[in-house]
Amino acid sequence: MSELSIRLVPRVAIIVLSLLGVVLLGACAKPEVRKFKFVWPEPPEKPRFHYERTLYGTGDIMGEKSGKEKWMEIATGQARVSQGFNKPYHVAVHKGRIYLSDTVAKKVMVMDVPNARSYSIGDKRDRGKLQKPIGIDIDGNGMVYVADVTGKRVVMYDKDGKFIRGFGEGESAALNRPSGVAVNAEGTRVFVVDTGGVTANQEEHRVRTYDVATGKHLFDIGTRGGLEGQFNLPLQAAVGPDELLYVLDSGNFRVQVFDQDGNFIRKFGKVGRNYGDFARPKAIAIDPDGLVYVVDTAFSNFQIFTPEGNLLMFIGQRGASGMPGRYQLPAGIDVDEDGRIYFVDQFFRKLDIFRPDYTPEGTGYLVTGEKAPRTETWDASIPEDVEDDEVKAKE
C-alpha cells in the first residue's frame, strides 16, 4: 500500500462513519417526526385525528398475500390484480365499503376493506352504465346513488352494483348538470344538486327532489341568486343526523340548510382567507355527531364546523410531496359510522384516511366489519386561536 493510500484510509473511514451516523440518527428521528406531523391538532394540543393510511388503488386494501395466493401466483404466473385511481373525484363509505367515483375510468371503484375484495360499478354495458360519475351517496339500507354529470341523471344501484333505477329521466324530471346527490337515511327521498351554467340566462341552479320508490320528481329547492334559499353554482349536498339537508352553495361561498320539504333553516360561511371562510369550496360531508366538513380546494384542506357554522378546526395544507395532510387538488370527502374521514386528492390520485381519537385503533367497520366502541365525545367548544381573524386558513 502506498504512503498516499495509508494517509487516505483514516479520512475515508471517518467520512463513512460520519455518514453512517447521520443515517442512523435520521432513522431514529423519523418516528418522532411522523408522530408530530401526522396528528391534528399538532402537539402539545390534544390530538383529535390521527393519520391512518393512504389508498392509491384497489390493491392497497388486500394486505399481505396468503400462502395459497403465493402458491397460485407461482403455479399460474398470474399476480394479484390491482387497479390504481385515474382521476378520483368523490367518495362515500358504508360499513367498511369505500365507493370512489373516477371520472376518467367512468366508473365507481368499490373497495370492501374488511373482506379484502374490490369490484366496480357502472362500467358494464347495461342500463347502469356511467359516462362521468361525480357525486355519490349511500342510504341506510346500503343503496348507492351516483350523479352522472355527462349522462344527466342519477343512477341507483344496490350495494353490489346491480342497477335499480335512474332519476332525472323524462322532460319534467330532467337534469342539466347533476354534480351532487344526497339521500335521507330511510332511503325515501333523493336530493340532486343541479349545478347549472355560468351564462347570464342560465337560471337552473337548484336542488331537485325525487321519490326513491317511484323515481318521480317531487319539487325543487332554489333558483339562481344570492338571497336566502337561492344558489349560485351549488356543487354538493349531504343529509345530517338531524335530518336536515346541507347544500354547498359554492358560488355564494356558503352552506345553506333546509328541511326535507325545502324550507330554509339557516346559512353560514362567506368568501375570504381567514379561518372559517371559503375561497373555493368543493365538497361537503356530515359525521355521526352532525359536524359539517367542507373541502376547500384553494386552501388545500377541509374545515370542520358545528351544525350552526362555528369552526372547530381544519386539516390539510398545500404540499408538493403528497405526504399525509398535503394536497394539491382536493375533491371529495366522507365520514363513516365510526368517525373516520376519507379525503380525496385528484392531483396525487390518492385517498387519505384519518381516524378520530375517540375510535380506538384497530376497531370499527373499516377493520373488523363491526361498529367501533366509542371512548369519548367531541368537545364542540371553539378554540380561541380559530376565532382570531388575523390568522389565515391558507399558508
Side-chain angles (χ1 to χ4, degrees):
M1 182 179 293
S2 68
E3 184 179 350
L4 178 61
S5 299
I6 293 172
R7 288 201 306 268
L8 286 176
V9 166
R11 294 183 182 181
V12 171
I14 291 170
I15 292 171
V16 170
L17 289 173
S18 299
L19 290 174
L20 180 60
V22 170
V23 170
L24 290 174
L25 286 172
C28 294
K30 187 175 181 180
E32 289 301 317
V33 172
R34 182 182 179 88
K35 183 177 178 182
F36 179 80
K37 287 191 175 181
F38 298 161
V39 297
W40 291 265
E42 294 182 345
E45 299 295 326
K46 173 182 170 60
R48 289 295 183 181
F49 292 96
H50 306 256
Y51 165 74
E52 193 162 65
R53 63 191 299 190
T54 296
L55 303 182
Y56 294 95
T58 58
D60 293 330
I61 69 166
M62 300 300 182
E64 293 292 331
K65 294 180 182 178
S66 65
K68 182 179 179 180
E69 279 186 299
K70 292 177 181 178
W71 184 88
M72 288 297 293
E73 187 174 320
I74 294 171
T76 65
Q78 293 181 346
R80 175 190 285 174
V81 176
S82 176
Q83 183 174 1
F85 307 145
N86 290 283
K87 193 172 183 181
Y89 192 97
H90 202 47
V91 61
V93 186
H94 181 72
K95 295 185 177 180
R97 289 191 183 189
I98 303 171
Y99 298 79
L100 185 74
S101 64
D102 193 309
T103 58
V104 170
K106 300 180 181 180
K107 63 183 178 181
V108 173
M109 304 173 73
V110 186
M111 290 157 283
D112 184 352
V113 180
N115 295 307
R117 68 187 186 103
S118 63
Y119 55 97
S120 58
I121 291 177
D123 56 343
K124 299 179 178 62
R125 293 186 178 276
D126 59 17
R127 291 184 297 166
K129 185 171 178 57
L130 298 166
Q131 297 182 51
K132 190 175 182 179
I134 296 186
I136 315 176
D137 200 14
I138 306 171
D139 67 24
N141 303 310
M143 298 293 112
V144 183
Y145 304 76
V146 182
D148 186 348
V149 65
T150 299
K152 297 188 176 183
R153 63 174 183 160
V154 165
V155 189
M156 178 183 176
Y157 308 87
D158 68 14
K159 63 181 182 179
D160 296 316
K162 180 182 177 182
F163 173 81
I164 304 296
R165 68 174 50 86
F167 301 90
E169 300 169 335
E171 185 175 348
S172 63
L175 293 163
N176 183 28
R177 290 178 62 199
S179 59
V181 59
V183 62
N184 58 10
E186 298 81 9
T188 58
R189 281 188 176 179
V190 59
F191 304 90
V192 182
V193 180
D194 203 0
T195 298
V198 296
T199 59
N201 62 350
Q202 176 56 260
E203 296 296 326
E204 295 174 342
H205 297 231
R206 60 193 176 179
V207 176
R208 310 213 82 182
T209 308
Y210 300 85
D211 178 77
V212 171
T214 64
K216 180 182 177 182
H217 171 243
L218 300 176
F219 58 87
D220 292 337
I221 305 173
T223 58
R224 190 173 194 177
L227 302 176
E228 292 180 354
Q230 294 183 321
F231 302 114
N232 182 24
L233 298 174
L235 286 180
Q236 301 285 336
V239 176
D242 55 9
E243 299 186 351
L244 297 178
L245 176 69
Y246 293 71
V247 181
L248 184 60
D249 187 8
S250 180
N252 286 323
F253 306 96
R254 64 186 181 183
V255 172
Q256 295 200 72
V257 187
F258 304 84
D259 66 22
Q260 292 192 25
D261 292 322
N263 299 305
F264 175 83
I265 303 296
R266 61 179 177 269
K267 63 181 179 180
F268 65 87
K270 62 181 177 63
V271 63
R273 293 172 57 86
N274 297 329
Y275 281 133
D277 292 342
F278 299 130
R280 194 182 170 191
K282 193 166 187 177
I284 188 170
I286 303 176
D287 73 10
D289 292 330
L291 301 182
V292 183
Y293 297 65
V294 180
V295 176
D296 200 301
T297 302
F299 297 155
S300 292
N301 70 10
F302 59 87
Q303 302 183 88
I304 307 175
F305 300 87
T306 66
E308 294 74 29
N310 297 317
L311 180 67
L312 295 173
M313 62 177 291
F314 69 89
I315 293 177
Q317 63 189 70
R318 189 168 299 279
S321 65
M323 293 172 60
R326 302 295 187 269
Y327 308 100
Q328 286 282 348
L329 194 60
I333 190 169
D334 197 23
V335 185
D336 72 9
E337 300 89 344
D338 300 306
R340 282 184 170 89
I341 305 168
Y342 302 77
F343 191 32
V344 177
D345 186 88
Q346 293 182 300
F347 183 86
F348 294 116
R349 295 185 290 181
K350 69 172 182 172
L351 177 69
D352 276 358
I353 303 175
F354 304 89
R355 176 179 56 83
D357 194 57
Y358 61 71
T359 295
E361 187 175 3
T363 66
Y365 281 115
L366 193 67
V367 181
T368 66
E370 298 180 356
K371 189 170 178 58
R374 185 158 181 167
T375 59
E376 63 175 83
T377 58
W378 252 92
D379 177 10
S381 60
I382 306 171
E384 292 182 2
D385 59 342
V386 301
E387 293 184 298
D388 184 357
D389 287 340
E390 297 301 317
V391 181
K392 308 299 183 184
K394 181 182 177 183
E395 285 190 333

